[in-house]
Amino acid sequence: MSVVLKGRSLLTWLDYSAEEIRYLLDLSKKVKAESKKGKIRQRFTGKTLALLFEKRSTRTRCAFETAFGEEGGHPVCLSGADIHLGEKESIEDTARVLGRMFSAIQFRGFKQETVETLSKYSGVPVYNGLTDLFHPTQALADIMTLEESCGSSKGKLLCFVGDGRNNVARSLMVICSKLGVHFTIVTPPELNPDAAICEQCAPLAAISGAKITVTADTAAVSGADAVYTDVWASMGEEDKKEERTKLLSPYQVNQPLMKKTGRADSIFLHCLPAVKGEEVTPDVIDGPQSRAWDQAENRKHTIKAIMLATLGC
Ligand code: CP
Ligand code: NVA
């Protein structure tokens, strides 16, 4: 059965089958190989992309903008200060208008509901560039990086150490459940992922063979192929910084924690931006086990692959 993704939005990996995700991973690797050979084509010529931002971004914005622009597409960045998104104009109406002018829309912001509404009313592919609930384009780059380092992802053990209820942890739980990657969240009980996402992932993991674990015990990183962390307070949660620092300090990814994997070849991953000295020590993120910089580069290749597939280019 061939995979056809033309016209599809990417709001969360819950909407994609394992086969579709596999197709996008393979396409991302092809896109990266072409790019390394200097083969940039012009597959987005004549197309336009609206990039909407309620929250800041370095990697996601630059990945979308350069991936689309270098292939002849015209990306337009619009912040909350530029357009009427939800202020003076409903999200539905903005979606309808953008859908008449753009080939696709990327949204980064607070509510998952906003990206869903944009997709429902625009009639063009909409990409979730991060909401409070999910960060799906990040998770694709994470799995690509794991596969590049470990040869494959199925049956490997990825341990997320940190805020277990955040958008990155939730997206990893979904993509790992779909693809059969064993996924452990190591977090204090106060920051456990919500029951709803665990319940959504359990049947997916049962099909793929993924073992999904949530624990407060850092010893659970034993045998990990990859240890992953993210900031203690996500964008929009700055007021929780003090409370999070208290809860998550014992979960800092440092050399003693990396040693608990019992493996010298475990890799370290971080979606970035990193607060060095908080969730990760500089010697780990800048050390030999870190793949954080490859992971950041892979954002561009995976995002290009997602746009190529969903725009039918
Ligand atoms: N990882 C990530 O999404 O980075 P930005 O916030 O810089 O886009
Ligand atoms: N969890 C982080 C991810 C940043 C890419 C945040 O939402 O701020």
Side-chain angles (χ1 to χ4, degrees):
M1 201 178 69
S2 68
V3 171
V4 179
L5 297 176
K6 187 173 178 188
R8 291 272 295 274
S9 286
L10 172 55
L11 310 181
T12 152
W13 291 117
L14 286 167
D15 304 332
Y16 279 63
S17 68
E19 189 190 16
E20 288 166 342
I21 302 171
R22 184 71 258 157
Y23 173 83
L24 289 169
L25 281 166
D26 293 342
L27 183 58
S28 303
K29 291 177 187 172
K30 204 173 145 206
V31 161
K32 183 170 183 173
E34 283 170 0
S35 152
K36 296 290 170 199
K37 285 187 196 146
K39 274 204 230 159
I40 303 296
R41 294 191 264 153
Q42 293 297 296
R43 290 171 284 191
F44 297 127
T45 299
K47 299 207 182 295
T48 49
L49 171 68
L51 295 163
L52 312 187
F53 291 95
E54 287 177 345
K55 293 178 180 173
R56 286 181 191 203
S57 170
T58 300
R59 280 143 288 269
T60 309
R61 173 181 172 169
C62 296
F64 271 103
E65 204 166 331
T66 59
F68 199 66
E70 75 186 10
E71 296 247 7
H74 182 63
V76 178
C77 266
L78 300 161
S79 77
D82 297 313
I83 57 168
H84 303 288
L85 192 67
E87 272 182 49
K88 260 186 85 184
E89 185 169 56
S90 67
I91 310 228
E92 286 94 311
D93 288 356
T94 301
R96 288 185 176 107
V97 173
L98 294 180
R100 300 286 180 111
M101 299 188 189
F102 290 93
S103 316
I105 300 166
Q106 182 275 170
F107 171 79
R108 165 173 288 205
F110 295 92
K111 294 184 187 160
Q112 182 72 10
E113 202 189 324
T114 307
V115 83
E116 285 166 4
T117 306
L118 287 168
S119 177
K120 188 169 170 195
Y121 291 95
S122 66
V124 296
V126 172
Y127 312 119
N128 178 355
L130 179 149
T131 60
D132 289 345
L133 293 190
F134 292 110
H135 195 4
T137 63
Q138 177 69 54
L140 194 69
D142 301 341
I143 298 297
M144 178 179 174
T145 312
L146 181 71
E147 292 188 353
E148 284 177 341
S149 292
C150 304
S152 63
S153 57
K154 196 170 170 71
K156 296 288 188 287
L157 174 60
L158 172 61
C159 292
F160 180 94
V161 182
D163 175 10
R165 39 146 298 290
N166 84 7
N167 42 17
V168 168
R170 291 166 51 90
S171 295
L172 286 171
M173 189 188 276
V174 175
I175 204 165
C176 289
S177 298
K178 292 258 176 176
L179 296 178
V181 183
H182 304 313
F183 182 59
T184 297
I185 292 186
V186 185
T187 193
E190 294 88 339
L191 299 175
N192 275 351
D194 61 279
I197 193 74
C198 296
E199 281 161 21
Q200 279 175 303
C201 288
L204 306 173
I207 294 167
S208 71
K211 189 167 179 257
I212 307 296
T213 309
V214 178
T215 175
D217 187 358
T218 55
V221 301
S222 173
D225 292 278
V227 175
Y228 194 127
T229 193
D230 185 11
V231 289
W232 287 343
S234 287
M235 288 181 276
E237 299 184 326
E238 289 75 11
D239 59 325
K240 297 203 166 58
K241 189 68 193 286
E242 209 182 308
E243 171 194 325
R244 293 286 168 75
T245 303
K246 269 192 210 133
L247 285 170
L248 288 168
S249 290
Y251 294 86
Q252 182 189 61
V253 179
N254 47 29
Q255 289 296 354
L257 186 127
M258 288 302 289
K259 285 213 167 59
K260 287 189 189 182
T261 66
R263 294 176 54 172
D265 64 345
S266 303
I267 61 165
F268 169 76
L269 297 171
H270 194 308
C271 54
L272 305 174
V275 187
K276 295 180 188 181
E278 291 193 1
E279 76 273 7
V280 62
T281 51
D283 54 349
V284 171
I285 192 165
D286 297 324
Q289 287 170 283
S290 176
R291 297 291 178 277
W293 317 109
D294 295 327
Q295 195 183 353
E297 178 191 329
N298 287 340
R299 299 296 310 287
K300 178 169 173 177
H301 305 303
T302 44
I303 279 171
K304 189 184 277 189
I306 291 163
M307 293 193 291
L308 286 170
T310 56
L311 289 170
C313 297

